[in-house]
Amino acid sequence: DTIVHVVGARPNFVKMAPVISALERRGAFRQVIVHTGQHYDARMSDEILADLEFPVPDRFLKIGSGAHGEQTAKVLVAFEEVLRDEQPVAVVVAGDVNSTLGCALAAAKHGIPVAHVEAGLRSFDWGMPEEVNRVLTDRLSDLLFTHSPEAVDNLRAEGVVDGRIHHVGNTMIDSLRRSERTARDRRAWAQVGVERGEYALVTLHRPSNVDDPQQLMRIVEALDGLAHRFPVVFPIHPRTRARLGEAGVNRLENAGVRCIDPLGYLDFLSLQSGAGAVVTDSGGVQEETSALGVRCYTFRPSTERPITLSHGTNILLGDDPASLAEVQLVDWEATPSAIPLWDGHAGERVAEVLINNYALTQAFAAH
Ligand code: UD1
């Protein structure tokens, strides 16, 4: 019996690797991995996959970049063909990118059960493309795997019955725990020429921050200000690099900001682990810093991951670039109060539910 796993963009690889390897150990299904190709660069895809020791995908859909409608539609068309070929008993999707929604929609229309890893997250900001993807994917899913109690509450509030919700914990943290020691030992900070604990690591790629030229200009000014206080390391996402242009990158470099290309999984984890502070508008980075005990400043008006505020090391800055002046390097290695079920074993719990659920369906079918 075939199960199809979908990955498409950088964070999907990190969330799905533990699920695929847990199912592999159980030997329960024939696993087919589909890479939509939403992210395709060596830096955004191949290097991350290699660091995670991710199995080579069975199908590569070559979707590439494009406007939301175009990208999602291409996924829908190409994935329908995969479903026809493979006839899976279930499709597993993760996170909130366009590939997640496209594949969930294709599967639901074919009457194939959908399982969603990282269900129930809500920023309540309908202007975020990811929020649209999350809400719709959850609505299309039969099995909803949650990583925090508020995700369970959000799903219940939307009328999802308890039988579909499985509170399994955070598979992204499984990947982190597996690689943490190797990442720390890499000392990626030394390669960038900064001292452990004495730099801020910055990542920014949200359309709301980088697609508006005025907002981006004010962010550049604020980062210039920060770089006068301490070293700033900025691995620049392709979307952000395109918006900054050469002039923007030069200005940052002249201010002393270390502008580098996106990094592989291990190098980026290493830089996070050694940072005095992390400034980000990413979702996953809020979680990873919470697990590493590193101060995170989230440069967004809202977070769909409030547990990282209450139980972790995250501070929500809002999206006014003036607030970046509040960033401080924190000289502690916090032992964050462990977030329940962010324990390195979430992938195994997902596998267990998938196997049991399938066995149950088979038993019913036999009657
Ligand atoms: C996507 C996700 C976002 C996630 C992010 C992680 C959606 C709606 N957004 O945003 O939720 O946080 O991935 O990185 O799915 N590009 C390259 N090489 C690549 C991929 C992209 O150069 O391998 C460039 C292209 O110019 C593209 C732009 O980056 O137009 C944006 O890529 P896209 O996949 O549309 O969205 P992200 O901003 O990466």
Side-chain angles (χ1 to χ4, degrees):
D1 293 319
T2 302
I3 194 162
V4 165
H5 302 293
V6 175
V7 291
R10 194 164 58 167
N12 294 158
F13 311 139
V14 189
K15 291 166 194 170
M16 284 302 293
V19 173
I20 293 166
S21 77
L23 278 173
E24 191 63 41
R25 287 195 296 277
R26 300 284 298 265
F29 298 100
R30 170 179 168 259
Q31 304 201 72
V32 172
I33 302 171
V34 177
H35 186 333
T36 65
Q38 177 172 343
H39 284 172
Y40 45 84
D41 278 356
R43 299 279 180 147
M44 300 295 285
S45 176
D46 304 358
E47 289 180 16
I48 313 263
L49 294 171
D51 279 351
L52 290 163
E53 297 177 29
F54 204 92
V56 177
D58 301 283
R59 312 272 298 238
F60 189 68
L61 305 185
K62 299 200 187 120
I63 298 307
S65 304
H68 285 278
E70 183 191 359
Q71 196 175 51
T72 314
K74 280 186 180 163
V75 169
L76 198 51
V77 173
F79 193 62
E80 196 158 64
E81 200 177 309
V82 173
L83 295 176
R84 270 197 298 265
D85 293 350
E86 302 291 349
Q87 304 281 327
V89 296
V91 169
V92 186
V93 298
D96 55 15
V97 301
N98 286 343
S99 301
T100 311
L101 174 61
C103 294
L105 181 54
K109 288 277 179 83
H110 278 258
I112 298 165
V114 177
H116 185 203
V117 174
E118 200 192 75
L121 300 195
R122 298 290 181 266
S123 65
F124 303 100
D125 174 359
W126 200 244
M128 278 180 87
E130 294 82 3
E131 183 74 356
V132 177
N133 292 343
R134 288 179 201 118
V135 170
L136 296 180
T137 301
D138 285 340
R139 185 66 188 80
L140 295 165
S141 296
D142 302 89
L143 290 176
L144 297 106
F145 294 112
T146 56
H147 78 26
S148 50
E150 59 268 17
V152 177
D153 296 342
N154 292 337
L155 292 173
R156 284 181 178 152
E158 290 174 20
V160 179
V161 295
D162 279 357
R164 292 186 170 199
I165 305 173
H166 298 272
H167 188 46
V168 292
N170 194 334
T171 62
M172 195 171 225
I173 303 306
D174 293 9
S175 290
L176 181 146
R177 293 293 177 225
R178 181 171 178 270
S179 299
E180 188 177 357
R181 166 127 5 128
T182 319
R184 286 185 193 276
D185 288 349
R186 266 183 182 235
R187 305 172 55 79
W189 50 88
Q191 289 155 40
V192 196
V194 293
E195 299 283 331
R196 187 174 176 280
E198 291 178 10
Y199 61 93
L201 174 66
V202 176
T203 80
L204 295 166
H205 73 280
R206 290 278 154 223
S208 57
N209 282 328
V210 306
D211 287 0
D212 171 5
Q214 261 185 326
Q215 172 78 350
L216 187 58
M217 175 67 75
R218 293 186 60 212
I219 293 172
V220 167
E221 278 164 18
L223 293 180
D224 182 330
L226 282 189
H228 283 88
R229 291 170 46 209
F230 39 72
V232 173
V233 181
F234 187 13
I236 307 183
H237 184 285
R239 170 191 285 279
T240 311
R241 190 172 279 275
R243 301 297 184 270
L244 279 169
E246 216 174 309
V249 175
N250 283 342
R251 163 140 191 223
L252 287 170
E253 279 176 344
N254 289 338
V257 175
R258 280 130 170 115
C259 296
I260 56 177
D261 282 334
L263 298 163
Y265 179 68
L266 289 171
D267 279 335
F268 187 69
L269 196 57
S270 183
L271 272 187
Q272 283 190 84
S273 72
V278 175
V279 179
T280 192
D281 60 9
S282 149
V285 171
Q286 298 171 52
E287 299 181 354
E288 289 171 343
T289 46
S290 279
L292 290 167
V294 172
R295 160 67 78 233
C296 179
Y297 294 93
T298 297
F299 185 65
R300 282 176 36 190
S302 59
T303 177
E304 60 290 327
R305 293 160 161 93
I307 199 158
T308 60
L309 305 174
S310 55
H311 281 62
T313 52
N314 191 15
I315 291 175
L316 192 60
L317 275 186
D319 63 355
D320 179 354
S323 67
L324 290 168
E326 289 169 33
V327 172
Q328 312 244 12
L329 300 188
V330 180
D331 185 19
W332 42 245
E333 201 157 316
T335 324
S337 54
I339 300 177
L341 299 184
W342 293 28
D343 59 356
H345 299 286
E348 289 151 34
R349 290 187 284 268
V350 171
E352 181 73 21
V353 173
L354 287 170
I355 291 166
N356 289 344
N357 206 73
Y358 181 60
L360 210 63
T361 322
Q362 292 292 90
F364 274 119
H367 273 280

